[in-house]
Structure formats: C-alpha cells, structure tokens
Amino acid sequence: MKQIQALLEKLGLSLQAFKTALAAALSWIVAAQLLHAQYPYFAPLAAILTVQVTVADSWEKATQRIIGLIGGVLVSMLIGHWFPMGTISIFLVILLGMALAKVFRMNSQIISQVAVSSFIVLAFGGTQGYVLNRVVETFLGSAIAIAVNALIVPQKIIPTIQTHILTLSSVSAQALGGLTLLLESEENNQKARETIAVLVEKTEAAILAARTAEKALRYTPFLSRVKKRLTELDQNIRYLEHITVQIRGVRRAIFDLYTEMAWKPDSRATESLKSAISITAQCIELYGEAVVSGSEVAYSKLADSIEEAKQIQLQCLAEIHAITSLPVLRDMGSILTDLKRILKEVTLPER
C-alpha cells in the first residue's frame, strides 16, 4: 500500500489532489440534486478553492469565499441595475469587486475569484433566484470541501513528528557531546557554534511541524487517540527545545573558561566534566528513542543511563570543589547546572 501511495505521489496524484477532486465532484452532484440546476458550477468552484492542507485553513478560505461571493453578487447587481452589460459595467464590477475583497483583507487568490464571481453574475443573470442559487451553491461547495478535508486526514502526521523527534534528539546529543572537544581546545569553538546553529534549525523545524500537525487535526472527528499522541509528542519537542537552550548555555560557559588564567584544560576536574557531558549527551539520544518507540527496553536503557549520568555529575561536582579560582568554579558550576537540567528534561515518568 505504501509503495502504491509513493508511486501515486511521484505521478502528482497526491492526497491533496484527491481530496480536491472528490470535493468538487461531490459538490456538483449535491448541488445539482438539491437545486435542480443543470450547471451548478459555483459549487465545485467553491470546493476547489476551499480544500486546503488543514481543516482550519479550509474554514478560513470558506469564510472568505462566501463573504467575497456575497460582496461580488451585491456589486454585480448594483452595477447591472444601472448599466447594461458592456465595457463600462465589466470595468466597474471587477474594479469594485476586487476593491471590496481588498477591504476584507482576503488573499490574492480570493480577490481574483471575487472578480470572476462578480463578472459571471453580471454576464449570466441578475435575478434574485439566480443570485440565491449561486450563493447556495457556494455554501454547499464550501461545506462539502470542509467535510472531505476533515474526514480524510493524512496518515503520516504522527510518523513525521516522530522523525523530527528522533532527528532532534540525535542532533542534540551530537551537539552536546561535541562540546568535549571545545574543552580540549579553543580552536574548536567555531565548529561548536556551527553544530549548535544546526541544532537550533532542527529545533525550529520540529516546533513548526508540531504546530502544523496540530492545525491539521483541528476540527477533525474520530481521531481522539491520534490527537492525544500528538499532544504527547508536542510536549517531548518542548522538552528538547529546553535542552537546546541548555546546550547553548554549556557552550558559552565552556568558552568563558578560556578567559580565566587559572583554568587548566588538562586538569582532573576538566576530564571529569568531559565524562559528565558525554554521558548526558547519551541520555538525550536515548530519550528520543524511548518516547518514539515507547518500548520497555528503551525506557529501561534511558533510566539506567540517567542514573549513571547523575553519579558522574556528582563525582564531577566533588572534583571541582578543589578549584580555588572563583570565576572557574562559577563557570564549571554553571555547566553542571545545565547538565542537571538536561537530565530533568529527559527523565520520563515511571510506567
């Protein structure tokens, strides 16, 4: 099934295209049956314009479409009452129709369609019965498009968010683990900055994907379990976002150490700090695997790694107590504080 879907995607037959075509066809059938109209073209036109990536976007487009149509119809009736069909009436109806759409702050696509609707009503009829049928057709097309969009939901929403979490946890672990190289040499600062820049980019992408997924599921029925899972994953992304902030803090604190004459990169305390950073980085990656898979094995590995990281952090804390330079003690204490906060973020509730 997945192979067939992939092939269809390559041929341009995406789910979005299918939903649009289905909504347009259903709109034509329903409008023709209810209104007994031979060519209810406003219904499929409204459906085509209304189907968007998310149901929330479809609601917005439907509202704009209906407001635009009503405004366009009113303008066309007004101009048609005073001017016969011709150059002047076409100019005025399109000009005023687009101006009205602009006043309501509609997007460029809807503004163009308002002008089209105004012209069609002016050209093919201005009676109350005709106008009413066009408005009803638009309502029907918009409603059917929203229903189709709400009932046919992309199946890749949760897997997509899970992929973002795995990627983000892996990049976070690499960024934090790579800071051990910065502890060895100041020359590695540029590489650390570049790695963290990538981390920030991945964090923003994950947050955007979660927001888009939440928007896609809004107003959709029968998907309570999917929504619940999405809420959980969204919270996991938030924890990873906090970790990104803390990793940036660790890099700044390490860089500050190079300004202190009393700090020695090859000291016992520094070696202990490198171990604490490495094991904490490992916990981040295991966290991503655990929240995505949900397996007992993954949870157990994460819990064991967190306990080990806590012990190493405590050992490191004991090592830095021997440091007499207050600025060095402050910076190394800041690093350990951020590492402790990272462990708190990746600690999962007991199952």
Side-chain angles (χ1 to χ4, degrees):
M1 185 64 183
K2 291 182 179 179
Q3 293 178 344
I4 295 176
Q5 186 176 355
L7 177 61
L8 293 175
E9 290 280 353
K10 290 182 180 180
L11 295 174
L13 301 175
S14 63
L15 180 61
Q16 187 71 9
F18 173 78
K19 290 194 295 185
T20 302
L22 178 62
L26 291 176
S27 298
W28 179 276
I29 295 173
V30 173
Q33 293 295 321
L34 290 180
L35 303 177
H36 304 291
Q38 187 175 5
Y39 301 111
Y41 41 80
F42 269 65
L45 178 62
I48 292 169
L49 295 174
T50 300
V51 174
Q52 302 294 317
V53 175
T54 68
V55 181
D57 287 338
S58 291
W59 273 105
E60 181 182 353
K61 290 295 183 294
T63 302
Q64 290 185 340
R65 172 68 185 165
I66 292 169
I67 292 174
L69 174 67
I70 293 174
V73 165
L74 293 176
V75 169
S76 64
M77 291 182 67
L78 177 65
I79 299 300
H81 179 75
W82 294 101
F83 297 93
M85 178 64 182
T87 304
I88 296 177
S89 60
I90 292 174
F91 173 79
L92 291 176
V93 77
I94 294 177
L95 176 65
L96 295 179
M98 296 185 72
L100 181 65
K102 195 72 174 179
V103 168
F104 282 98
R105 297 182 179 180
M106 299 177 186
N107 61 40
S108 58
Q109 183 184 23
I110 299 298
I111 291 175
S112 299
Q113 290 305 317
V114 169
V116 171
S117 301
S118 302
F119 172 72
I120 292 176
V121 173
L122 177 69
F124 295 102
T127 64
Q128 290 185 352
Y130 178 87
V131 170
L132 179 61
N133 282 345
R134 300 295 79 78
V135 172
V136 172
E137 287 173 15
T138 300
F139 269 97
L140 286 174
S142 299
I144 290 172
I146 292 172
V148 169
N149 217 17
L151 293 173
I152 304 178
V153 181
Q155 300 300 310
K156 295 181 180 180
I157 289 179
I158 297 301
T160 298
I161 302 302
Q162 290 175 331
T163 299
H164 275 283
I165 290 176
L166 288 173
T167 300
L168 182 53
S169 62
S170 178
V171 173
S172 299
Q174 292 172 15
L176 180 59
L179 293 180
T180 58
L181 298 177
L182 182 57
L183 278 170
E184 296 174 358
S185 173
E186 187 179 5
E187 295 179 355
N188 293 317
N189 184 52
Q190 182 58 36
K191 183 177 180 180
R193 288 171 63 93
E194 292 172 356
T195 303
I196 290 178
V198 173
L199 172 59
V200 172
E201 180 182 332
K202 297 297 183 182
T203 302
E204 292 174 349
I207 293 172
L208 177 61
R211 296 284 75 77
T212 302
E214 187 274 332
K215 196 174 182 181
L217 293 178
R218 197 182 302 165
Y219 309 123
T220 54
F222 319 124
L223 292 172
S224 57
R225 292 180 62 183
V226 176
K227 292 178 181 179
K228 182 180 178 181
R229 178 58 173 158
L230 179 60
T231 300
E232 295 171 354
L233 294 175
D234 179 63
Q235 187 59 61
N236 297 141
I237 290 175
R238 288 300 174 186
Y239 292 149
L240 288 168
E241 181 188 13
H242 299 162
I243 290 172
T244 297
V245 174
Q246 287 142 9
I247 292 174
R248 297 175 73 179
V250 171
R251 190 207 66 82
R252 286 193 296 269
I254 292 176
F255 187 71
D256 288 343
L257 283 171
Y258 284 96
T259 64
E260 309 298 336
M261 297 296 295
W263 179 64
K264 298 179 180 179
D266 57 349
S267 67
R268 185 174 177 180
T270 301
E271 290 301 317
S272 182
L273 186 58
K274 288 166 65 176
S275 297
I277 290 175
S278 296
I279 187 62
T280 305
Q282 178 181 309
C283 291
I284 299 174
E285 187 150 19
L286 290 173
Y287 171 78
E289 295 172 1
V291 298
V292 168
S293 69
S295 71
E296 293 293 342
V297 174
Y299 269 70
S300 179
K301 288 176 63 177
L302 174 60
D304 292 343
S305 185
I306 289 174
E307 287 303 314
E308 183 182 356
K310 287 180 179 179
Q311 294 302 317
I312 294 178
Q313 287 184 18
L314 288 174
Q315 180 182 347
C316 184
L317 184 61
E319 295 285 353
I320 70 172
H321 279 165
I323 297 175
T324 57
S325 171
L326 291 180
V328 173
L329 186 62
R330 176 200 59 203
D331 292 336
M332 296 191 79
S334 173
I335 294 170
L336 284 173
T337 299
D338 279 327
L339 294 179
K340 179 182 177 181
R341 288 172 177 164
I342 290 174
L343 289 186
K344 185 177 179 181
E345 299 290 353
V346 300
T347 300
L348 297 173
E350 295 184 4
R351 304 185 71 183

